[in-house]
Amino acid sequence: MSLTGNELAAERSCGDVAVGCAPVTAPGGPPAAAAGRELAAREIADFLGGRQPELVFFFGYGDGAYAEALRVRTSANIIIYEPRPLAGAPSPPPGVQVLDSLAALMAAAAGMNDLAARQVLAGAIPALRVAEPESFARFAAAVRQALTDARIRSATLTRSAGTWLRNLAVNLPQVAAMPPVDLLADRFAGRPGIVVGAGPSLDRNLEVLRELQGHVLLCAASTALPALARYGIVPELVVVIEANDVSGHFAGVPHLDRMTLLPGPLGHPAHFAVPVGARLAAALCGSVPGDWLQRARGCRQLESGGSVACVAFSALHLLGCDPLVLVGMDLALTDGRTHAGGTEQATRRVRYEPGAGRVSHWFEDKPNTGHWSAVPTPAWGGGGEVLTRPIFNSYRFWFEGAAETWARDRVLVNATEGGARIHGFTESSLADWRTAAKPPPLAARELIAQVLASAPATDPQPLWREVAAELSVVAQAGEAAAQAGRLAARALKDLEAGRFGGLDGQLGRLAAAESRLAALTRSTRLLNALVGERSLAVSRDGEMPPAADKVATTAWSLRQSGRISGIVAEGARELADLYGPLVAASRK
């Protein structure tokens, strides 16, 4: 917000967003009602500066005066984070969300599938910023990360959606026949579980991990397997979800037959051929197979966070483990490295370039380099800051969100001894935690084997019925898209030829067809996963002509409608070709 008088402003870069602060008269609380509303109105007017954003993030609700001023002056969606709600504060105006946790803010942002393309502003009530500097700093970081996540998510979906769904088509027969990880739900209630990541700090904890074998349930990211194998550590559970082939993580690792694998259904098919002792199907939250597994078998969806480490954490929570301990979860660039020794990326090196505000990275045996944005974040142990990558920072926020919400029913320990601080987790060295906890012997491997041996055979048909039902909706959406495309083309042809007589009727029929298409596409995650980002890109593509030129504006809208309908119809055909033969084969 712009300021007048002798007040000082703090402006911070927030990705494409300016996080600003404005003065108030009472640092300890809200100003008096009338004066407060006038002040809030002036400062919100300065904050907006004539701009009309599509989304506003705001720090502080107070007595509601700032939210009211925002609502009057903008039609934007407004998300307010209030770290210390006032008793008796009025309800927020329509279109204003007031949230009391950053996890909820991040979740609300993640639910906006076009956030990366929106015009966003962020601001704060300065009295609260002064009173809660750490909360404000975390708010600003969360907004930056939410925007970064949106850009990463959009780019990833655009690039990888087709690959994921093709992988799923290959993996689906095995997934349909695999027992679910839910068979182990709550089987380890009250017993410690350790998530083993492959961060550089894992090196200093391998000896203690070896001594903890047989006393805890170890769940490792596949990336960490080579490092663990060097110390003879055999985790009971291993998670792999990557879409690319990382089966090399398992190469030369002994005792794979003693491990139970949780392979991501969207992951590379090579992961399903790794010779492990058992495989369990996991219903990852927000994914097509996660929906199918939940509906077909009643599986609980696992929060995934887009990371193998996040899935491992969710799996141990499902199994009832308490406490949940993180090891090798640096989520930062530690000692010039990204991964532990012995791992596939152990030879990757990084160097900070302060002038450019970035980190360069390379492999010792490869001259080519790349670059990442440098993101400072609080260090484990509270000793200053460390640098991290945007994607690592995204995972850190995910763990912090879990600590605030669904995982707060457990004792959470970050025993990484390096890397980034994760708010909500107690920090301890692994050796100190072992000494304090004194975990008794735990025959985890034997219990897993016993449960799986006594489980009934998995019936694949319920899952295939879910696939068939969704394909039916996809086919209907494809037909609706084709119809909308024909109507848009016909209307555009008449418009360009100057035949305006029946145009209103054509546009009405097109609107009805588009409404039906929207309703159908909303009910199929499968189709949205494939074409959602493509359609959003088209809807934002190009600048609409001036509203005064009704003919040009209508023509532009009709072309957009035709392009989007074509994308949807093409996606429906692609999915029918991928999954239709699988459903047909399942019925034989």
Side-chain angles (χ1 to χ4, degrees), residues 266 282-292 301 525:
L266 300 176
L284 302 188
C285 188
S287 72
V288 171
D291 290 348
W292 293 341
Q301 293 202 5
R525 192 190 296 272

Side-chain angles (χ1 to χ4, degrees), residues 75-136:
S75 60
N77 290 329
I78 300 168
I79 298 177
I80 295 177
Y81 169 55
E82 174 53 77
R84 52 174 197 181
L86 290 174
S91 299
V96 177
Q97 296 183 71
V98 180
L99 308 173
D100 61 1
S101 77
L102 291 176
L105 181 146
M106 298 288 285
M112 299 177 184
N113 57 8
D114 60 345
L115 176 58
R118 293 194 184 195
Q119 297 296 317
V120 181
L121 290 177
I125 298 177
L128 192 59
R129 178 185 182 275
V130 170
E132 301 277 352
E134 183 178 353
S135 291
F136 174 78

Side-chain angles (χ1 to χ4, degrees), residues 458-485:
T458 302
D459 180 5
Q461 288 309 311
L463 185 66
W464 287 118
R465 285 194 289 270
E466 291 296 332
V467 180
E470 186 146 0
L471 280 183
S472 176
V473 178
V474 169
Q476 294 175 57
E479 293 169 2
Q483 181 188 19

Side-chain angles (χ1 to χ4, degrees), residues 174 225 234-236 238 240 245-263 269-279:
Q174 291 196 65
L225 285 179
V234 183
E236 286 83 11
V238 180
V240 58
D245 184 358
V246 296
S247 55
H249 296 167
F250 300 85
V253 173
H255 308 302
L256 291 176
D257 60 333
R258 297 172 59 194
M259 304 178 195
T260 296
L261 184 67
L262 276 61
H271 306 156
F272 287 76
V274 173
V276 291
R279 294 180 187 81

Side-chain angles (χ1 to χ4, degrees), residues 186 188-191 300 313-324 403 405-413 424:
D186 301 319
F188 292 88
R191 303 307 302 269
R300 285 188 251 178
F313 182 82
S314 297
L316 290 187
H317 185 273
L318 173 70
L319 270 57
C321 291
D322 189 11
L324 293 169
T405 53
W406 57 270
R408 62 186 170 193
D409 60 344
R410 311 292 161 87
V411 174
L412 307 178
V413 180

